[in-house]
Every structure is written in structure tokens, then in C-alpha cells.
Amino acid sequence: MASKPSIPKGTRDFSPAEVAKRQYIMQIIKSNFEKFGFQPIETPSFENSDTLMGKYGEEGDRLIFKILNSGDYLAKANVTHLENKDSTKLTSSISEKALRYDLTVPFARYVVQHQNEIEFPFKRYQIQPVWRADRPQKGRFREFFQCDADVVGSKSLWQEVELVQLYDTVFTALGLEGVTVKINNRKILSGIAEVIGASDKLIDFTVALDKLDKIGEDGVKKEMIEKGIDEVAIEKVQPLFNFTGTISEKIEKLSQLLALSAEGMKGVEELRFICNNVTELGLSTAILDLDVTLARGLNYYTGAIFEVAPPKAVAMGSIGGGGRYDDLTGIFGLKNMSGVGISFGLDRIYLVVEELNLFPETVTETTKALFINYGDREAFYAMKAVKELRASGVKVELYPDAVKMAKQFQHADKRNIPYAVIAGENEIEANLFSLKNLVTGEQISFDLEGLKKELLK
């Protein structure tokens, strides 16, 4: 007996209705990317392992899906590592490729490889799936789409201002009012670590601080102490655990806290420029907030850091994020190429829009009318109309088999098709078509032109 088919944990099949809703979100994102001047590119689903490894930190490296070498993948395996069952060291000899973890590092690789063909500043967008060997849970999948927009070749902070506006424009178009665009700056975090005398513990400090909303103040302090940051240093950053007020007030508090750090003050001034200009230009429905605990992607972010939280009515993780990465292309040999980008988490956005019931009813509309099949002569008459209606932009189809009418009507009902077109012997003789409203039961006869007008309404 054949085993029951299944799919890997953290992956999903999508029904026609789900695909239609996902495409609706992607189309809104795509159209706004293009409105803001971004151009599309695509990169392979898998990259050489050395392109990806070491770019996301130790935790990120663990979550990269490795691909076994083709053929006898153990042929080139390191015998010592194999005998010692040292999987960490063995991996590099049996796996030379890996599924992409995000779209940013492959983009950096693309820029370096195609630098002589690109006109800088280069604004690109990319909407493709990525893979992470993460523990599946609500809103967290092992295969999911990212929708990225990046600019490389400009250090101008106006790019950050525009990216905040892009978030606002997309989420407003989706009806997601009240999302919070959180902003911070890597230089701020470096400055704080410097001020408390823990520059060598920057990653440990910021990773712990980033968990404030998950494990609370006591949990963060405990983790910092476990990482070797002493209590005196932690006491100096006590204000960060209750960092409230307007953006302007928060910036002033940071100015005082970081007065002795040149790097920290650079971050303060960058935040001041971005936040002041975004505030002056105004946002439609999004909220901009300065969050000093935000510490994502520290292995490649060097300036502004973004993260987007959904409306407060929805319990969900971030639905977008990004930041400035001055040194990212440098790891592939192209120095002094500054970049900044943001990402939209399609799958989480879908869940939020669904939960708030914000999908328009028209999104899942498919076939407008089903032509009933009475036999080959009638089907040919129907198909001539079907061809012309499709050319006019009407979604119509002919039931393929001349089976009982009840079965054909039942098919239309299950497919939520609102109309049936009856084209039997009587209709052919009169050169007409009978259109039946499957919701009200009303039936009216039209010539082809009249049928077209009615279905285009």
C-alpha cells in the first residue's frame, strides 16, 4: 500500500483562492516598488555556500539549508571528520551549495558580478522565495517569499526617508492602517557599547537588548551578565529599559547618553535627519517610532535599522525590516559601495490582512460565467462566443463534457461562478444566449453583443 503523501514541515500548498490573495499583495508591493523607481532582478534559488556562510552570524549560519553535492557526495568527504562524526567540519566537503537565506546577500553578490553593467545608484527590487531551517510556528515558515527593495551606490540619507515612505505607501494601499515603522541605528548601539566600556561585547549586548520585548528587563540583564557584561556597565544603560517619549525627546536623551562617543553621535545625527524629514513630509497611516532596543542583522548593517510591526490589534511578529549596509559588497571585493534596503514579509502580511478581513471580495473572483455543454454542435456555437468574450477581457469557460445539466450547474456552484450561459438548440436557431444568474435564478436572453455588455458590468 502506497504511503500517504505529505510535505515537509514549514512548507505549504496554496489553494487557488490563497494564490489569488498572495498575488494581490505582491501586485500592490510590486507596483509601488516601480512607482518609487526600483527595477526588478532575479537571482538563483541556491548559491555557492561560501557566498552565504558567515554573512548572517552564527545563528544565521545554522539556519541555512545546505545542498548535498551531486552524485557520490561522500567521495570527497574528509575522512577524519567523517570518522569523528564532526558534522560541522564535514559539511564543507560534502556540500558546496545552499538555498538562499535572504535576498540581500545574493543581491550584493549580483552587484559585484555585474558592476560594469549597472548604472549607479542602482535601485532594484526582488520578489522571490527564501529558505530557513527554522522551527516552524505561526507566521514563521521554512520556505517563504521576501519582497525586497534596495539602493546601492549612494550614502544619501534621503534614501532612508524614501524607504519609510515606501513602507507607508504599501501598507496604506493594503488597508493596513497603524503599522509601526521602528527605526534605530547601528552607530547608536556601537556608541552605547563604547560608553559602558563593552565594545568587545557589542554583539552579545545588542542581541540581548533586542529581546527586551520577549524576555523583559530582568531576562535581558541576566543574559548580559551571562555573556560577561558586568553589572556596572548594565547600570549605565538603565535608561534604555524605559525609553519613552516622542521621537525628538528620545533623540535628545540619546544625545546626552552618547555625548562622549563620536560614533554614537554620528548615529544620533543620522536618526535626527531621517526622523525630522519623515515627520515634516508626513505619513499617511504608518507610525514612525525610535526603538533603541532594535538590533537586527548586526553582521552587515552599519547605519539605520528598520523593523515594521503590524497594527496593535494583531498578535504577530515583524512584517518587514531592513537597514543600511555600507560594507556588504566589500566582502565580495567591491569596496566603498554603500547600500540601504527594506524587505516586506509577504507570508506574515497575508496572515495580518486575512485576520483583519481586508482582502477585497473581488480578489478571489475567477470565472464569470460557465457555458453549459449540450454536445459537440452546441459546444462549437458556445466556443465561438467564449473566444470573443475572452478577447474582450471576460473570464468565461465551457464545461468540457456533455453530462447532465444538474452536474454542470453543481460544478458552477462549487466554483462560486455567478452565471451560467445556456446555448442549446433553441438559442442556436435564434442566434441568442440565455444568461442565468445562479444567485437569483433570473434568466435573460441576449445576442452576443448584449451578453458581452452584461458580463462586463
Side-chain angles (χ1 to χ4, degrees):
M1 184 178 175
S3 60
K4 187 179 179 182
S6 63
I7 58 175
K9 287 182 179 179
T11 64
R12 296 148 297 161
D13 289 322
F14 297 107
S15 69
E18 288 169 328
V19 170
K21 289 175 179 179
R22 288 166 64 83
Q23 288 177 343
Y24 164 77
I25 295 172
M26 281 193 274
Q27 185 53 43
I28 285 179
I29 294 172
K30 178 185 172 183
S31 64
N32 282 290
F33 280 168
E34 293 176 354
K35 196 184 296 181
F36 276 67
F38 293 89
Q39 302 174 78
I41 69 162
E42 291 187 358
T43 60
S45 57
F46 56 93
E47 297 271 352
N48 292 325
S49 294
D50 56 9
T51 298
L52 303 177
M53 298 299 288
K55 311 304 189 299
Y56 308 100
E58 189 179 328
E59 185 177 350
D61 281 355
R62 285 200 306 270
L63 300 181
I64 291 174
F65 273 109
K66 286 81 175 177
I67 300 173
L68 289 174
N69 293 338
S70 301
D72 183 3
Y73 58 87
L74 288 178
K76 296 180 181 179
N78 184 292
V79 177
T80 304
H81 298 156
L82 187 59
E83 289 175 350
N84 294 338
K85 297 182 179 179
D86 189 337
S87 59
T88 304
K89 292 179 179 176
L90 181 65
T91 301
S92 61
S93 63
I94 64 173
S95 171
E96 297 170 355
K97 300 175 185 66
L99 292 177
R100 60 171 173 244
Y101 177 89
D102 72 353
L103 299 178
T104 305
V105 171
F107 172 53
R109 189 266 310 150
Y110 174 94
V111 170
V112 174
Q113 256 190 277
H114 299 272
Q115 57 186 287
N116 295 326
E117 308 154 28
I118 293 172
E119 170 60 29
F120 295 102
F122 180 45
K123 301 176 76 171
R124 89 80 167 88
Y125 78 83
Q126 206 169 338
I127 301 177
Q128 288 187 278
V130 299
W131 294 266
R132 296 183 185 178
D134 215 341
R135 184 171 64 84
Q137 53 187 284
K138 183 184 178 184
R140 189 186 294 268
F141 307 101
R142 288 175 170 169
E143 178 185 60
F144 57 97
F145 267 78
Q146 280 189 340
C147 311
D148 283 14
D150 291 76
V151 189
V152 289
S154 170
K155 292 184 178 180
S156 170
L157 294 175
W158 286 110
Q159 306 291 356
E160 278 87 338
V161 173
E162 275 219 314
L163 290 173
V164 175
Q165 290 182 316
L166 177 55
Y167 268 139
D168 178 50
T169 304
V170 168
F171 288 121
T172 299
L174 287 169
L176 273 180
E177 299 186 1
V179 302
T180 301
V181 181
K182 299 177 183 178
I183 186 172
N184 196 14
N185 195 297
R186 166 67 188 263
K187 296 180 180 74
I188 297 279
L189 296 167
S190 298
I192 293 169
E194 182 186 339
V195 165
I196 66 173
S199 292
D200 61 327
K201 300 282 185 181
L202 173 63
I203 300 295
D204 293 330
F205 170 78
T206 50
V207 166
L209 188 62
D210 196 30
K211 297 176 182 176
L212 183 61
D213 61 338
K214 299 182 184 76
I215 61 177
E217 181 179 334
D218 292 340
V220 169
K221 288 179 176 178
K222 181 184 176 186
E223 185 168 322
M224 286 181 177
I225 290 169
E226 288 171 354
K227 294 293 185 180
I229 300 169
D230 61 52
E231 293 187 20
V232 175
I234 295 171
E235 190 61 35
K236 289 180 181 178
V237 294
Q238 182 61 39
L240 298 181
F241 295 111
N242 297 289
F243 208 68
T244 56
T246 64
I247 290 179
S248 296
E249 289 168 347
K250 289 178 180 178
I251 289 175
E252 288 312 312
K253 288 179 184 178
L254 284 174
S255 296
Q256 295 169 22
L257 182 65
L258 300 172
L260 298 178
S261 169
E263 179 79 352
M265 288 308 294
K266 277 184 193 174
V268 170
E269 291 311 310
E270 288 180 12
L271 277 180
R272 197 191 307 273
F273 180 92
I274 298 164
C275 294
N276 284 355
N277 281 294
V278 169
T279 302
E280 286 296 316
L281 289 165
L283 296 173
S284 297
T285 62
I287 301 157
L288 182 66
D289 186 34
L290 171 54
D291 183 354
V292 290
T293 69
L294 183 59
R296 54 185 291 131
L298 284 176
N299 281 57
Y300 54 78
Y301 290 136
T302 55
I305 307 167
F306 299 107
E307 189 165 281
V308 184
K312 290 183 173 60
V314 182
M316 179 69 68
S318 64
I319 55 176
R324 166 81 55 180
Y325 43 88
D326 285 341
D327 305 322
L328 191 61
T329 55
I331 57 179
F332 297 120
L334 183 59
K335 303 293 184 182
N336 302 316
M337 184 61 71
S338 183
V340 61
I342 58 173
S343 180
F344 291 80
L346 171 69
D347 297 277
R348 287 189 178 183
I349 292 170
Y350 178 102
L351 293 172
V352 173
V353 175
E354 181 91 309
E355 189 170 328
L356 295 176
N357 198 28
L358 294 174
F359 283 111
E361 289 184 13
T362 53
V363 167
T364 53
E365 281 184 359
T366 54
T367 298
K368 188 77 175 280
L370 178 71
F371 279 72
I372 303 300
N373 191 330
Y374 290 92
D376 287 345
R377 178 170 175 259
E378 293 86 352
F380 183 77
Y381 177 76
M383 281 300 291
K384 287 193 290 184
V386 165
K387 182 180 178 182
E388 189 161 332
L389 287 166
R390 286 173 177 166
S392 300
V394 185
K395 297 175 183 177
V396 289
E397 61 184 275
L398 169 72
Y399 194 85
D401 304 298
V403 296
K404 290 181 179 179
M405 283 183 64
K407 184 174 182 179
Q408 297 186 52
F409 279 117
Q410 189 178 51
H411 177 77
D413 183 54
K414 288 181 177 178
R415 293 265 313 278
N416 292 318
I417 298 173
Y419 293 98
V421 179
I422 297 166
E425 193 174 319
N426 293 336
E427 281 78 16
I428 293 174
E429 286 180 8
N431 202 27
L432 295 173
F433 300 87
S434 296
L435 183 68
K436 183 169 185 175
N437 186 316
L438 297 179
V439 178
T440 65
E442 182 184 15
Q443 185 170 312
I444 306 173
S445 293
F446 297 95
D447 60 15
L448 182 55
E449 199 57 39
L451 180 67
K452 189 190 301 180
K453 287 179 181 177
E454 188 67 20
L455 291 176
L456 281 169
K457 284 183 179 177

